[in-house]
Amino acid sequence: MKINVLTLFPDFIEQGLHTSILGRACEKGLLSCNVVNIRDYSNDKNGRVDDYTYGGGAGMLMQAQPVYDAYKAVENASLKNNCEGENHRIRTIYVTPQGKPFTQKDALNLAKEDELVFLCGHYEGIDERVLEEIVTDRYSIGDYVLTGGELPALVMIDAVSRLIPGVLGNEVSADIESFYGDLLEYPQYTRPEVWNGMSVPGVLLKGNPKEVNAWRKEKAEELTEKVRPDLFEKYKQREHYIKELLKDKRNNIQMLESLRRGTGEIINTDPLVIYMACDDLVMVDINRKMDVDEFLSLLPDGVHSIVVGQEFGDILKDVEGIHKSCDVYNYVYTENVHRKIVNKDIRLLTEEYADYVGTHYELAGYDYAVEKVREGIVYGIFVDNEIAGFIGTHGEGSIGMLYIDERFRRRGLAADLESFMFNRDLEAGRTPYGQVIIDNVNSIKLQEKMGVYGGDKILTWLHL
Ligand code: ADE
């Protein structure tokens, strides 16, 4: 991801960006940072960038012209302009106490972009006209006022960057920490066993994984209830629906897993509607229909896909702007599936295979497949160092994108790839599942061979 920062204090930003984990991400090329000094674009001979506020009032305001010219310089050098030859709008974030509160959900959403611009204000703010011209999002990091936008911009950059695959080094750690699943993280301890007369809790010293997990959950619940009753309410609601959805796990796995993995947010309860910001997706209880206008009014900005039961899907497909893409069955891993340790040559695919994956994955198109490779969620299987096929995880969490090259079929490679993905999900504490188009006979056969259980209700995918 390329991050541009427009600021009057470039040293401040450079320091923050080149320290610790962000610094390493820059060195590894996972992040590239471009810090632009707005003062360099001042037309004033003394480099002045501020002036008095029309209508009176204390303090000075940053003028429109230097900010606009600094932004234009970034836009002209933008990755989007260079790569695609088109002038796409880069998400440009103005950090301001008057913005929307910045949350983990926003971080997930911004982490999907290839390039971002952060605009840092100073003095009393920035002339509104340039903000209207260039800014796409306004965010605040909290209900307090800081002396400038540099610290908030660094806070947001940190929260976004750690979600980029490879930045944390440990892929799993980003999705099990605080704010996933609406619980604050439990207390943790390291050596020595006794410090200042205080001992590490006995259950952690004993190290029985089941007991440790139960203790951690209890502590996380206690802490959240005490410190963040608002979050605790959401957590209890989530737990309630998890229990409900478990009653028909095979048909509900897509909603269930989004709540368990903490990627879904409940936006309606009767019927249950879940929004997954990370995939611009909305899912509705598959046994329910609702009034179309009421449903449309629930959709957050930017929603791209909808998953509903077949009956409601038949109604929605006739709504203007919505088109049906496919009907699927869920396939859900259960304890009965034989867990196979795969010792084939399976590798995470890097950019050099993006074109191969794009060319061979037909269902959702070239661009979709290439994006998944870039997100670091497609694995390839190799035979004698030659790629023989691949598998991936869709944005909402289901295993899919399975492809085996004609020359390598009937050798069990598809089953190997599936087993590999099952193991990855299970190790990360997730229930593996996939969705199969209802007439994809080969894939259904594979699921049955693997012992994976299919749902008996048809789900319809629609796109806006
Ligand atoms: N600039 C000054 N205070 C801020 C805040 N709380 N959030 C974002 N930008 C700011």
Side-chain angles (χ1 to χ4, degrees):
M1 174 188 280
K2 181 170 177 189
I3 292 182
N4 304 280
V5 186
L6 310 180
T7 169
L8 288 174
F9 296 92
D11 294 349
F12 194 156
I13 297 287
E14 294 277 5
Q15 277 266 335
L17 290 178
H18 291 110
T19 310
S20 183
I21 293 178
L22 291 192
R24 219 173 46 223
C26 291
E27 278 164 28
K28 285 205 259 172
L30 296 166
L31 273 186
S32 87
C33 300
N34 173 33
V35 184
V36 178
N37 189 347
I38 297 171
R39 203 176 294 283
D40 290 346
Y41 291 85
S42 164
N43 283 342
D44 180 81
K45 63 179 184 315
N46 298 318
R48 209 176 142 178
V49 290
D50 60 329
D51 214 326
Y52 293 100
T53 318
Y54 277 116
M60 310 288 268
L61 215 58
M62 281 169 70
Q63 292 172 293
Q65 172 273 318
V67 172
Y68 188 67
D69 290 352
Y71 170 79
K72 276 291 174 194
V74 164
E75 194 185 56
N76 289 336
S78 149
L79 288 176
K80 290 192 175 172
N81 272 339
N82 290 342
C83 295
E84 297 166 24
E86 279 174 49
N87 195 354
H88 291 277
R89 195 99 191 264
I90 318 169
R91 293 273 294 268
T92 301
I93 294 140
Y94 176 44
V95 283
T96 164
Q98 284 83 40
K100 281 190 295 184
F102 177 66
T103 65
Q104 189 65 23
K105 202 170 86 194
D106 300 304
L108 278 159
N109 188 272
L110 293 175
K112 288 188 288 184
E113 300 288 328
D114 295 331
E115 181 165 12
L116 294 171
V117 178
F118 286 88
L119 171 60
C120 308
H122 254 270
Y123 315 116
E124 285 306 303
I126 303 181
D127 189 308
E128 184 64 25
R129 290 166 297 183
V130 69
L131 299 178
E132 277 173 22
E133 199 65 19
I134 67 173
V135 168
T136 56
D137 305 78
R138 299 184 193 211
Y139 281 113
S140 163
I141 61 157
D143 290 341
Y144 38 79
V145 181
L146 301 166
T147 54
E150 282 71 19
L151 279 171
L154 283 171
V155 165
M156 288 184 62
I157 293 168
D158 191 283
V160 170
S161 305
R162 65 189 286 287
L163 299 173
I164 298 170
V167 167
L168 283 185
N170 171 4
E171 218 191 308
V172 186
S173 50
D175 52 45
I176 55 172
E177 287 171 15
S178 284
F179 290 107
Y180 289 90
D182 294 325
L183 282 184
L184 301 181
E185 208 168 39
Y186 44 80
Q188 304 202 71
Y189 304 84
T190 183
R191 283 197 294 187
E193 225 175 274
V194 180
W195 177 82
N196 229 2
M198 291 177 279
S199 178
V200 172
V203 56
L204 302 180
L205 297 174
K206 243 172 76 196
N208 174 323
K210 252 199 176 144
E211 288 173 15
V212 168
N213 282 341
W215 182 87
R216 286 180 167 163
K217 186 165 179 235
E218 187 190 316
K219 290 293 157 193
E221 286 175 349
E222 270 172 30
L223 181 69
T224 313
E225 187 170 15
K226 190 162 142 210
V227 181
R228 292 289 305 274
D230 55 326
L231 279 187
F232 193 64
E233 273 312 305
K234 273 172 79 182
Y235 165 73
K236 279 199 310 195
Q237 185 192 49
R238 188 182 286 262
E239 291 285 288
H240 167 77
Y241 283 104
I242 287 176
K243 273 203 195 113
E244 286 298 307
L245 293 167
L246 269 169
K247 291 178 186 161
D248 184 11
K249 186 173 171 178
R250 292 182 209 175
N251 288 311
N252 288 325
I253 191 74
Q254 71 292 350
M255 290 183 114
L256 179 63
E257 276 300 290
S258 81
L259 293 184
R260 288 211 289 215
R261 298 179 192 189
T263 47
E265 183 199 347
I266 296 170
I267 57 170
N268 195 60
T269 52
D270 186 20
L272 183 63
V273 181
I274 294 177
Y275 170 50
M276 285 180 85
C278 61
D279 203 32
D280 300 325
L281 173 72
V282 163
M283 301 179 280
V284 182
D285 180 338
I286 65 161
N287 296 310
R288 297 281 300 274
K289 292 185 284 194
M290 62 190 290
D291 176 75
V292 171
D293 289 335
E294 196 195 331
F295 174 67
L296 295 178
S297 73
L298 279 177
L299 296 183
D301 284 347
V303 165
H304 188 255
S305 311
I306 301 168
V307 181
V308 294
Q310 192 182 30
E311 214 181 314
F312 191 30
D314 278 343
I315 299 172
L316 288 178
K317 75 177 181 351
D318 295 329
V319 174
E320 202 186 317
I322 298 184
H323 65 273
K324 179 171 162 174
S325 85
C326 56
D327 285 330
V328 298
Y329 287 120
N330 281 335
Y331 278 87
V332 183
Y333 179 94
T334 73
E335 298 289 317
N336 299 334
V337 175
H338 173 59
R339 252 191 100 173
K340 183 171 146 193
I341 307 299
V342 184
N343 48 16
K344 294 277 169 50
D345 183 3
I346 296 177
R347 309 176 199 162
L348 182 64
L349 293 182
T350 49
E351 183 77 30
E352 65 183 299
Y353 291 100
D355 184 58
Y356 177 86
V357 175
T359 314
H360 291 94
Y361 181 65
E362 282 164 4
L363 185 63
Y366 184 89
D367 290 349
Y368 177 87
V370 166
E371 194 186 309
K372 294 293 153 208
V373 176
R374 295 205 174 121
E375 282 173 24
I377 49 178
V378 183
Y379 288 84
I381 191 159
F382 290 75
V383 175
D384 297 332
N385 240 356
E386 185 184 354
I387 187 158
F390 55 81
I391 196 164
T393 308
H394 292 292
E396 89 290 0
S398 67
I399 296 171
M401 297 178 67
L402 180 60
Y403 170 79
I404 301 292
D405 201 292
E406 198 85 59
R407 289 176 301 132
F408 296 97
R409 296 200 181 149
R410 285 164 289 281
R411 298 188 194 187
L413 299 187
D416 287 333
L417 278 174
E418 282 234 343
S419 296
F420 172 82
M421 295 302 273
F422 289 170
N423 293 342
R424 278 190 77 249
D425 271 347
L426 291 167
E427 272 152 30
R430 308 185 280 247
T431 299
Y433 78 99
Q435 294 187 328
V436 176
I437 296 185
I438 54 172
D439 55 7
N440 186 344
V441 184
N442 286 339
S443 188
I444 290 175
K445 263 197 211 145
L446 174 67
Q447 304 307 318
E448 282 167 0
K449 189 175 125 197
M450 311 264 318
V452 183
Y453 284 98
D456 56 4
K457 295 197 177 129
I458 292 177
L459 284 80
T460 296
W461 274 80
L462 303 132
H463 298 297
L464 277 93

